[in-house]
Amino acid sequence: MKEKINNLTIKMLAGQLGLSVSTVSKAISDSHEISASTKQRVNDLVQKLNYVPNPYASSLRTRNSKTIGVVIPEVADSFFAQAINGIESVAQEKGYHVLIYLSHENFEKEKKILKDFESGRVDGVLISVAKETTQHCHIDALMDKAVPIIFFDRVMDEVTTAKIITNDCESARLATEYLIKKGCNRILFLSFSHTLSITCKRLAGYKKALLDNHLKYADNNILTFSNDAKKDYLLLQKKLKSASKDVGILASVEKLALPIYQACEDLQLSIPEDVQVISFSNSDSAAFLHPPLTTITQPAFEIGKTAASLLVKTLERKNFELPMEEIVIPSDLIIRKSTLP
Amino acid sequence: MKEKINNLTIKMLAGQLGLSVSTVSKAISDSHEISASTKQRVNDLVQKLNYVPNPYASSLRTRNSKTIGVVIPEVADSFFAQAINGIESVAQEKGYHVLIYLSHENFEKEKKILKDFESGRVDGVLISVAKETTQHCHIDALMDKAVPIIFFDRVMDEVTTAKIITNDCESARLATEYLIKKGCNRILFLSFSHTLSITCKRLAGYKKALLDNHLKYADNNILTFSNDAKKDYLLLQKKLKSASKDVGILASVEKLALPIYQACEDLQLSIPEDVQVISFSNSDSAAFLHPPLTTITQPAFEIGKTAASLLVKTLERKNFELPMEEIVIPSDLIIRKSTLP
DNA sequence: TTGAAAGCGCTAACAG
DNA sequence: CTGTTAGCGCTTTCAA
């Protein structure tokens, strides 16, 4: 293996220029203490020798890393992909670095990740919690170390910090009502967690719509998916088989949509004639499914961007107080052909 | 803002235990020089006080960061999402951290990102180059600083280093031949770059299939998309309109597939009767498009995982030589209904 | 406007 | 087996 090259240091620059280390340091950070001509000389040499400062030495000294930690359950979901885009857009603009971690919906992994953040590796954290996460000790521990942490999408109500979310309850209510108006008298709600903030709120919206429209709520219309794709699929099939006419489905997350299409195909049920479907989804291909899927589409990029902006603001300004409440960016109900005209 | 808490240091631990700093340091890293009983005492206190070492101090001293840099053009593409998953899986296992950067297909951004890597921020780099990237000065500069860099998917032939790719040429050849066998006598090749390794190789495979099957190659069957979605779409429509019967399309990247469906819908062309379609795609929803899309599906997770494993191996073992050639992991041609039976 | 010196928290010779 | 010491490369008083 190639030997690691002896990297350029400020000390070497100082040597070449006949200046002191501190002067060079100040010149590089464009301090007002330094004369224009010295800055010029320093910067010329920096350019010429292609000097790149060691960020870790700087971090050690200044106690900040210009790095934010992003913790998400998975990447292979359009929502999170777009949210990362939003986060990255502000990171790139503001000169921050993005460390990414996947919890894979697992609480222990999430804990381990946050534990590491107590080291000072990151200046702040953006998190969308795992499905399994019901406690917040790991988050509290981090906050105790004064590491700002902002939730996005999947939040914990019990923790007092900024939360960037969409109008989960209201958009689920709207979608459910839409299904009712289109003639569904039985509506299945597909979920994949009892505890996640987003599924609770979306379920609440679903319930509210039923109530508003004088339909009775029944537990057996709620399907909670496990992680066992096969088992989940069979459950869905069973429900669909036993359902009468005029059934609707509201899928509370993107990945639940495709199994519905699969099940309908296998059972020879046609969408939307036999079953109408609406799903939370940010996937581009929703419009090209057969039939095109009516979706609740979340402002994923915006959510990521807003969360990151807020975090960076908190980090930059000594006096900026992290707003402790929720910021809600509404979703869109996009009507396509999986619901009746 | 909350004041930053005075973090625990090895020095404080040493003080409490009546040991020297170096003993504690060695105990924590489980050095053989330290007695079991001392290790026990140290670890108990570490546990009790919840000590987390400062990674940047350690990095500064050891000159490595346990961090890898990942540079990709975008995240909102199933291939890259899955590749990140693969990368993260080995990072998590091996205790590495993943810094992620998006080039947005832009050469200047990519250059800036790699330039920063010269600082020692990362121990190694995994990159899939931007569409605009045709030079490799930025990569050479990094390699000169002995930072291992491995290409995945989109490589540069001119650079001598490890490259993890799929069998681009062969799978495109296979797909093209499949279209020919199914009766296409004119096949459009949709590309979005003249220069990218993957598009060149896929085009070569396409050409080879034509040659093997005594079809003549025509430049006007090659559609190169710009970034102007509207213009691209009109171009595609125009081509499709002017095409006779028995036309096939091979889309060389995932994001080109949906516009084809859109265009066929708008022009009232039916797939696969009027036009047969095959696309490179890793999207789950391919199977649920209307009609289900025949795809060349790349081993995205595997590619990411292999690239990351190789990088980590290079980093861990002083004597491990980065293999300088290509590792090819084949793609699958998954036949669905966008091609004739 | 510049420089000397101390030190961020950790590791690694080296000595004991 | 444990301790002393000298930095890693940078920033930051403080003094000149």
Side-chain angles (χ1 to χ4, degrees), chain B residues 20-91:
Chain B
S20 77
V21 186
S22 67
T23 305
V24 176
S25 171
K26 285 174 192 156
I28 286 170
S29 53
D30 201 28
S31 159
H32 58 271
E33 297 179 31
I34 304 296
S35 74
S37 66
T38 307
K39 279 182 190 171
Q40 189 60 255
R41 283 208 316 138
V42 171
N43 284 325
D44 286 351
L45 192 65
V46 162
Q47 234 37 50
K48 186 178 151 214
L49 300 183
N50 188 29
Y51 166 76
V52 186
N54 181 319
Y56 297 140
S58 165
S59 288
L60 184 57
R61 194 58 242 254
T62 62
R63 325 186 122 310
N64 60 46
S65 60
K66 279 278 199 177
T67 301
I68 66 185
V70 175
V71 186
I72 56 178
E74 49 173 334
V75 263
D77 174 291
S78 312
F79 174 83
F80 289 115
Q82 292 169 220
I84 291 173
N85 247 300
I87 292 167
E88 193 271 352
S89 73
V90 349

Side-chain angles (χ1 to χ4, degrees), chain B residues 160-194:
Chain B
T160 304
T161 184
K163 294 157 194 167
I164 321 297
I165 56 175
T166 188
N167 56 345
D168 294 290
C169 178
E170 175 56 12
S171 47
R173 191 196 62 74
L174 212 66
T176 309
E177 190 156 274
Y178 190 82
L179 289 170
I180 296 170
K181 297 289 185 238
K182 292 300 173 185
C184 298
N185 53 37
R186 178 175 177 195
I187 299 173
L188 302 179
F189 181 88
L190 301 205
S191 164
F192 79 122
S193 157
H194 289 301

